[in-house]
Amino acid sequence: MSVESLSPRLEKAEELVAEQAYFDHAADAREAATTDRGVSQWSAGTAAERRAFARSFSSRSDVSLDDNVAFGRMDLDDGEIYYVGKYPVFDDEKNLLVVNWQSPAAAAYNQATARDPLGLLRKRSFDAERNRITDFQDTVFKELAQAVAELEQWQTPDDSLLAAMSEKRNGQMTDIVRTIQAAQDKIVRMDKDRLLIVQGGPGTGKTAVALHRVSWLLFNYMEELQPDDVLVIGPNPTFTRYIRRVLPDLGDNDVVQQALPEMLAPGTDVRAGESDTIAALKGSAIMADVIATGLADRIREPKGPVRIQIRSSGRFIEVPSDAVAMRIRALKSEVYLEGRAKLKTTLIELANGQNSPLARGAGTDLLDPKSLESVLSQMWPQLNPQQFVRELLGSKERLLRAAAGTNLRASDVELLYRPMSASIAAEPWTMADLALIDEATEGLRGAPALFGHIVVDEAQDLSEMQLMAIRRRSRNGSMTVVGDIAQSTGPSAMDNWERVEEMLASSHPCDVVELEHGYRVPHEVFALAAPVLAVAAPHVTPPLITRSAQAEPQFSETGEGDIAENIANIVVHHSGRGRFVGVIAVAELWEDIRNAFRADEIQWSESTSGGLSNAINLVTPEASKGLEFDAVIVVDPQSILDLPHGERLLYIALTRTTTRLDIVYPTGTLPTILGGNASVEGTVLPVAEIADGDVETSPKGQTEAIPVAPLTVAAVELSSSVGSVELSDFDRQMVNVVVQGIVNEMLSKVTQPLQRAVVQELIRLVG
């Protein structure tokens, strides 16, 4: 098909008709293809593409014929046109009607830019539902190149991306193919055999990149990688449920998706917490040696002859202790339970080898099973992972013996010691315990199932023990790891990716790449969050924000007893406009919020239950990582700052929204970093909210002005100094972002009392 076959003089309405006809034709061809999915049906494309096509259909039993056949179109400078979709589509003459996005031919759709169009004259993005086109947007690269300003060098996202970013969120990530951009797409298409670490701030598309990479790898390495050979690990069940539909929506079923707790210790519920000091100790790599030594310590050589009772008799066979001890020493290097099974066989053989008439033929038929098991357990106890860890942590003597030869001190043993509960079912397991259980599982039962590629999301909080657990599941070290160092808040919080590089190292190369552009968090919100980031992680470069929500953050100062009621009012306000709402509050405030919700008959879900609804959700700051909502209400930010790693948790909470942000706080408690210093003068934020062309007043109708954070004021004042330069709205947003970054970097070098003086001097110099 040539470009000339579609007349450039067609009006858009006529073009819509022509494009719809093409969609209908492709849909008919797709439906016909589902009746025969054999490879022999298809002769177009490369051999790998034909096999991938057949496999994609054979594994896709839940594909709806109402799915859009394509989401985009590429017009090449050689006259060819390609439609791009989730799946390849051929007509009955084997002509390729739609190329799937994972194929090499489709790479230019996402990677083309004004500076490097990759042979594209035009890219067209379709808005469609149930295969009915409602609109399309064109990017004409020649025209775009002529209009490029200096800021375009970082690849301005096109209108289709910004439109997708503005769509309302729900309780799970859905189709995100169309939102992948050039820098992201290059990461998606990197070779499989490497440790790829992707650093990215809030809303930079880390999860989208990781999951698209899975889909791309499955298509392009299908001979080496099957869907059930890929493991995707999320930090918790809430997050895993949030992303669970993405891969099937991309056309890839049967990929193994697990929350980290489920992967480490299936069926073991985390019931308790512990101090960061204890959790960090349990998470250190030294505990692997403690586990190994502790297991070996449970094995005992006999001090005298081993006596095994004859079945249905009071008589015994004695096996010499030296023979048993020699066999035990030989078996100690075996996997624990395998060694135990071999020792049992040895005992039976040694019993048979005795010259006594009682021993002749004394195999398992003649040996009393209970006696044999009792004797065996005295030397080599039967253990399961939870039982072993419980008994290790519940005995100072065992801990001291297991710590021998390690760098653990007596004070560390005191920290690790936890009196055993009445039963294993009542054991107060913590999150850090699960990695110990996993380590014990390997020692007891051997290596777990191996995967050809592993994806780890929200990896910035992983301990050394957790990283070791992930590494042991990798067949050859091929992994994609994504996260944000600025959001590292756990007991084993990181300031760089060196630990991950070290613990996941293999013979493959390691690449650390950065996603620089934030697509989801609006710049109005990030302007408020940026000063928090400068304190929480001054070494982390802020993302360049690419979009506006046309709504400033809203502040609500409330009397102590009215906070929960005010939150409920704001929730109703947002929910009534169809927004997906997240209320982020420390757990201590939840009961009052619950009561207010019940009083107003508000239905909600909670992150502690492991799931999110499509409407209203109550979430802790820790559990909010990786989640996104249309509207976020941050409750009492000072209480979040008071938590360990409080600045980072506040930064996380502030950046969970894609449109609206409300901050509710008790009177007089707004932190200085958010503008709570009463002496701050200058720009203020009105409570009134502008949205969709209408003025929205806050639920309680407040009209008072609240001061903005001092650093944000500085950025606004400095950026206003370029007012004489003619800039587009988008370019002005970019200037604001750049200035904010400069100000944050400068102010991070001085103490807070000097920051205002620095700002004033900067304004004087620029002015």
Side-chain angles (χ1 to χ4, degrees):
M1 180 187 298
S2 66
V3 175
E4 287 76 20
S5 64
L6 289 174
S7 172
R9 287 176 288 184
L10 285 172
E11 296 291 339
K12 188 168 185 178
E14 295 174 305
E15 286 200 63
L16 279 169
V17 172
E19 295 287 25
Q20 185 62 57
Y22 194 91
F23 269 45
D24 292 341
H25 174 53
D28 291 342
R30 179 181 61 184
E31 183 173 8
T34 60
T35 62
D36 190 339
R37 298 173 179 174
V39 176
S40 60
Q41 279 290 102
W42 311 107
S43 58
T46 66
E49 288 176 331
R50 292 196 298 273
R51 289 192 297 272
F53 171 70
R55 189 193 75 183
S56 67
F57 268 90
S58 64
S59 65
R60 204 180 293 134
S61 59
D62 58 349
V63 169
S64 170
L65 295 180
D66 288 332
D67 285 346
N68 301 326
V69 294
F71 55 79
R73 180 182 119 179
M74 301 184 296
D75 295 6
L76 278 61
D77 55 15
D78 64 4
E80 290 297 312
I81 289 178
Y82 289 99
Y83 286 80
V84 182
K86 293 182 190 176
Y87 331 117
V89 179
F90 297 83
D91 65 14
D92 56 4
E93 295 180 354
K94 317 302 186 291
N95 296 311
L96 184 62
L97 300 179
V98 178
V99 61
N100 59 307
W101 71 270
Q102 304 101 320
S103 67
Y109 181 80
N110 286 321
Q111 294 188 12
T113 68
R115 295 188 178 277
D116 186 7
L118 300 176
L120 266 60
L121 293 177
R122 176 175 65 178
K123 178 175 88 171
R124 174 167 289 180
S125 302
F126 294 103
D127 296 328
E129 185 175 354
R130 299 174 66 87
N131 211 48
R132 307 305 298 176
I133 302 173
T134 57
D135 199 1
F136 62 77
Q137 299 84 37
D138 285 342
T139 301
V140 181
F141 287 97
K142 183 177 180 180
E143 295 177 1
L144 183 59
Q146 293 172 346
V148 159
E150 282 303 312
L151 286 176
E152 220 301 303
Q153 63 186 332
W154 56 270
Q155 302 167 355
T156 304
D158 58 31
D159 290 341
S160 63
L161 172 70
L162 295 178
M165 296 300 98
S166 299
E167 291 174 357
K168 289 183 171 63
R169 312 298 293 154
N170 56 29
Q172 60 185 22
M173 291 183 73
T174 53
D175 184 11
I176 49 178
V177 173
R178 61 184 293 194
T179 68
I180 293 293
Q181 291 294 283
Q184 296 174 321
D185 197 66
K186 290 176 182 176
I187 296 173
V188 167
R189 296 172 187 267
M190 293 181 73
D191 291 342
K192 174 176 71 71
D193 290 331
R194 64 186 61 247
L195 170 60
L196 177 60
I197 300 174
V198 183
Q199 159 68 33
T204 54
K206 299 182 295 295
T207 300
V209 166
L211 297 180
H212 279 79
R213 179 160 167 76
V214 169
S215 186
W216 184 85
L217 290 173
L218 287 173
F219 180 83
N220 288 277
Y221 292 88
M222 63 166 296
E223 301 296 339
E224 307 171 38
L225 209 58
Q226 298 297 312
D228 59 3
D229 199 28
V230 177
L231 172 64
V232 177
I233 304 168
N236 52 56
T238 299
F239 184 84
T240 303
R241 289 186 179 122
Y242 181 62
I243 68 170
R244 63 186 169 186
R245 284 301 308 166
V246 174
L247 287 168
D249 284 344
L250 293 176
D252 297 293
N253 298 303
D254 303 323
V255 169
V256 181
Q257 298 190 51
Q258 291 183 328
L260 182 64
E262 176 190 4
M263 183 202 80
L264 293 172
T268 303
D269 295 330
V270 173
R271 300 191 184 94
E274 60 194 347
S275 72
D276 279 3
T277 301
I278 296 175
L281 178 59
K282 289 180 178 179
S284 63
I286 197 173
M287 291 303 296
D289 294 332
V290 173
I291 295 292
T293 305
L295 274 175
D297 181 61
R298 300 300 297 270
I299 302 170
R300 296 280 191 271
E301 295 180 12
K303 298 185 181 301
V306 177
R307 303 178 73 241
I308 307 173
Q309 187 174 356
I310 303 296
R311 186 191 293 269
S312 303
S313 168
R315 294 173 293 181
F316 290 82
I317 294 176
E318 288 193 355
V319 178
S321 61
D322 56 348
V324 177
M326 184 181 300
R327 184 59 171 155
I328 287 175
R329 287 193 290 272
L331 291 173
K332 268 194 170 183
S333 60
E334 300 271 346
V335 173
Y336 185 94
L337 292 180
E338 292 178 5
R340 187 180 193 275
K342 290 179 180 179
L343 179 60
K344 182 175 183 179
T345 300
T346 297
L347 290 174
I348 295 169
E349 292 173 348
L350 290 173
N352 272 320
Q354 299 304 303
N355 293 324
S356 167
L358 294 175
R360 295 191 185 106
T364 53
D365 290 339
L366 292 181
L367 293 177
D368 181 76
K370 290 184 178 179
S371 177
L372 177 61
E373 183 62 30
S374 175
V375 167
L376 180 61
S377 292
Q378 290 173 26
M379 297 179 289
W380 203 304
Q382 176 72 40
L383 297 170
N384 64 50
Q386 287 84 351
Q387 174 193 2
F388 167 75
V389 173
R390 174 175 179 261
E391 292 175 357
L392 177 64
L393 298 180
S395 168
K396 292 182 182 180
E397 291 76 15
R398 285 193 176 119
L399 280 169
L400 285 169
R401 291 196 298 270
T406 72
N407 293 326
L408 280 185
R409 300 161 300 184
S411 58
D412 294 328
V413 169
E414 289 291 338
L415 288 173
L416 291 171
Y417 171 69
R418 180 177 69 211
M420 286 190 289
S421 56
S423 67
I424 195 168
E427 191 69 18
W429 298 114
T430 69
M431 184 61 199
D433 290 336
L434 303 189
L436 303 183
I437 292 172
D438 186 75
E439 187 74 28
T441 300
E442 183 187 37
L444 286 163
R445 299 172 182 165
L450 299 180
F451 292 87
H453 192 79
I454 295 178
V455 171
V456 188
D457 208 340
E458 297 294 326
Q460 66 273 355
D461 284 329
L462 294 174
S463 69
E464 291 175 338
M465 288 293 289
Q466 291 167 342
L467 289 165
M468 291 169 66
I470 291 168
R471 180 63 183 89
R472 71 170 54 99
R473 286 164 169 79
S474 173
R475 183 174 298 119
N476 62 5
S478 174
M479 298 189 203
T480 301
V481 177
V482 303
D484 180 12
I485 289 298
Q487 298 183 54
S488 184
T489 62
S492 303
M494 312 178 200
D495 289 325
N496 55 59
W497 289 107
E498 291 178 3
R499 180 201 305 160
V500 174
E501 293 182 62
E502 177 185 353
M503 302 304 295
L504 299 183
S506 70
S507 60
H508 294 320
C510 175
D511 297 288
V512 180
V513 298
E514 186 168 359
L515 294 168
E516 299 178 349
H517 307 115
Y519 300 115
R520 290 207 181 276
V521 181
H523 75 80
E524 296 93 341
V525 170
F526 200 82
L528 189 67
V532 183
L533 172 62
V535 175
H539 51 285
V540 172
T541 303
L544 295 169
I545 305 303
T546 62
R547 60 181 290 268
S548 168
Q550 302 299 315
E552 298 288 353
Q554 304 299 295
F555 291 77
S556 181
E557 187 174 45
T558 308
E560 191 80 40
D562 298 327
I563 288 180
E565 180 185 353
N566 195 12
I567 293 167
N569 289 337
I570 297 173
V571 164
V572 171
H573 170 75
H574 289 306
S575 181
R577 287 159 174 78
R579 295 172 186 149
F580 177 41
V581 181
V583 179
I584 302 178
V586 298
E588 291 76 10
L589 301 177
W590 277 29
E591 193 53 38
D592 287 344
I593 296 172
R594 288 177 179 131
N595 291 335
F597 285 178
R598 293 186 189 106
D600 283 0
E601 298 183 345
I602 295 171
Q603 300 296 315
W604 78 98
S605 296
E606 298 181 356
S607 61
T608 52
S609 65
L612 297 176
S613 73
N614 291 336
I616 300 162
N617 301 273
L618 188 53
V619 185
T620 64
E622 298 87 346
S624 70
K625 290 182 185 179
L627 304 182
E628 294 168 349
F629 304 91
D630 296 330
V632 165
I633 303 166
V634 175
V635 182
D636 190 4
Q638 185 59 54
S639 67
I640 298 176
L641 285 172
D642 291 339
L643 296 171
H645 306 290
E647 289 86 0
R648 291 187 177 185
L649 286 170
L650 181 58
Y651 174 67
I652 292 165
L654 294 171
T655 55
R656 296 308 93 200
T657 182
T658 63
T659 56
R660 302 297 195 271
L661 174 64
D662 287 86
I663 298 174
V664 180
Y665 59 96
T667 302
T669 67
L670 184 67
T672 302
I673 201 167
L674 296 181
N677 188 339
S679 65
V680 173
E681 301 174 357
T683 306
V684 295
L685 294 179
V687 173
E689 178 181 40
I690 307 299
D692 304 324
D694 298 323
V695 175
E696 295 181 342
T697 58
S698 64
K700 286 184 172 293
Q702 300 98 327
T703 57
E704 72 272 18
I706 307 296
V708 185
L711 306 193
T712 305
V713 174
V716 172
E717 290 173 335
L718 285 174
S719 63
S720 67
S721 301
V722 299
S724 60
V725 180
E726 292 187 6
L727 297 174
S728 68
D729 289 343
F730 184 82
D731 286 346
R732 186 168 295 281
Q733 293 173 23
M734 294 307 101
V735 170
N736 283 334
V737 170
V738 172
V739 171
Q740 180 71 65
I742 294 171
V743 171
N744 290 342
E745 177 66 21
M746 290 180 175
L747 295 184
S748 68
K749 309 295 185 184
V750 298
T751 59
Q752 192 168 6
L754 295 178
Q755 289 179 355
R756 176 152 293 279
V758 171
V759 169
Q760 291 172 346
E761 181 65 11
L762 287 172
I763 295 172
R764 185 186 68 79
L765 291 173
V766 175

